[in-house]
Amino acid sequence: MHYSMNPLGANLWWVWDIIALVITFIVIQALVLINGQFQKRELLPTYITRKIIHIFAAPLFVVCWLLYSGSDASRYFAMMVPLAFIIQFAAIGLGKREDEAFVNSMSRSGNPRELLGGTMHYAIIMFICTILFFNAGGANGNGNPTALFILGALAGGDGLADIVGRRYGGDRTFGFGGAQKTFVGSLGMFLGSFIMILVLTAIFGTGLILPTIVILSLFATVVEALTPKGIDNYTIPLAVLVGIVILSMVTPSLWPYTPLITL
C-alpha cells in the first residue's frame, strides 16, 4: 500500500506538494520552538530537551511524507525541509545569524557552534534518506521502508540511549575513541529503536515483521556501542543499511520489499 494525498487533482499535484512542504516545515519548526521554550524556562534538563528533538524530529518529518502527492518529484519537495535546516544550522553555527530557540533546543552548552556537529549530521541523514528512500510505504514488493528503519533507529534508539544512560547508567562505562557508553544506555538504544521502527512501520502499513525489527534494532545497538565519539549519526544508519542488504540477500522472507541490491 503506497500512501499519497492530493485533493487538488492530478494537474495541480505540485501545488499540493508545496502545501505539504509548508506543513512539514511548520511541524518541525514548532517542535524546535516549543522545545526551546522548555529549555529556556528550565522545565527540563538540557540533555533531555536536546534529545527530544533527536527523538521526534525525524519521525515527525517522515510521517509528513504521507501528505505529499506521491509524484516522482515529491521527494524533491520533501527534501527541502532537511536542506533548509542544514542551511540554518550552518548559518547559526558560523555566526551568520542568531536563533535562540534553535541553540537552546539543540546544544548542550548554549554554544551555537555545536549545531555544526551532531545536529547537522542528523539533518544530513534525513536529507539523504529522503532522496534515496522517499517511497517508504508498501509491503510485498511495493515500496521500500528503509528510511523508517534508519530514522527509527537513529531517532528513537540513539535518543533514548542517551537519556536512559545518563539517568540510570551509573559510573560503569565502556566505549572507544572517547565514547562513554553504558549497558543500560545500550538497552535504551535497543528498546528505542524497536519501538520507533514498530510505530513508523505500523503508520505506513508496511507489514509488521517483528523478527526483522528485532534483528535490525539489535544490529544498530551493537554498532552504536562500538562507535567512537561523534560519528554515531552516520554509523547507526550505515549499520541498519548493511543489515537490510544482508537480510534481503540471505533471508528475503525477512525483507519482502524492494531490494536494495539484486544479484
Side-chain angles (χ1 to χ4, degrees):
M1 182 186 303
H2 174 57
Y3 290 92
S4 62
M5 180 182 296
N6 181 14
L8 300 182
N11 292 332
L12 294 175
W13 64 266
W14 59 273
V15 176
W16 182 253
D17 276 355
I18 292 175
I19 294 172
L21 165 64
V22 172
I23 293 172
T24 306
F25 190 81
I26 290 172
V27 168
I28 304 302
Q29 190 81 10
L31 174 66
V32 173
L33 293 175
I34 293 171
N35 198 53
Q37 289 301 309
F38 285 157
Q39 198 282 332
K40 184 178 180 180
R41 298 180 183 184
E42 298 182 348
L43 299 177
L44 293 171
T46 301
Y47 77 91
I48 291 182
T49 57
R50 184 173 182 270
K51 287 303 176 178
I52 286 176
I53 295 293
H54 194 98
I55 292 171
F56 292 106
L60 285 174
F61 168 68
V62 78
V63 167
C64 285
W65 289 0
L66 298 173
L67 298 174
Y68 290 85
S69 68
S71 73
D72 292 338
S74 290
R75 74 181 67 235
Y76 301 109
F77 285 90
M79 79 174 190
M80 293 180 188
V81 175
L83 180 60
F85 281 102
I86 291 169
I87 294 171
Q88 281 186 290
F89 297 151
I92 296 168
L94 295 172
K96 302 300 182 181
R97 61 166 297 204
E98 296 182 2
D99 194 313
E100 184 180 7
F102 268 68
V103 175
N104 288 341
S105 289
M106 303 180 195
S107 70
R108 292 188 178 95
S109 65
N111 185 347
R113 291 194 66 83
E114 282 191 41
L115 299 186
L116 299 175
T119 303
M120 179 178 286
H121 300 158
Y122 181 94
I124 289 172
I125 295 300
M126 290 170 59
F127 178 82
I128 293 173
C129 281
T130 307
I131 294 297
L132 297 180
F133 308 116
F134 180 77
N135 183 14
N140 300 320
N142 290 318
N144 190 330
T146 298
L148 307 183
F149 285 81
I150 290 176
L151 296 178
L154 179 61
D158 192 35
L160 190 62
D162 188 69
I163 293 175
V164 172
R166 288 176 183 271
R167 181 67 178 85
Y168 302 106
D171 298 327
R172 296 183 178 180
T173 63
F174 65 93
F176 303 92
Q180 291 186 322
K181 314 287 185 178
T182 66
F183 290 104
V184 173
S186 291
L187 178 60
M189 171 71 194
F190 174 77
L191 291 176
S193 298
F194 178 84
I195 293 171
M196 189 61 77
I197 294 171
L198 186 68
V199 169
L200 291 176
T201 51
I203 290 173
F204 276 83
T206 62
L208 300 178
I209 305 177
L210 293 181
T212 302
I213 300 175
V214 170
I215 291 169
L216 293 177
S217 296
L218 183 60
F219 197 20
T221 297
V222 172
V223 170
E224 192 272 343
L226 300 175
T227 297
K229 183 178 180 180
I231 61 171
D232 52 0
N233 282 321
Y234 293 107
T235 58
I236 291 171
L238 184 60
V240 175
L241 195 62
V242 170
I244 288 172
V245 170
I246 293 173
L247 287 180
S248 64
M249 295 176 67
V250 177
T251 315
S253 62
L254 292 179
W255 191 259
Y257 313 106
T258 302
L260 300 184
I261 296 177
T262 56
L263 295 176

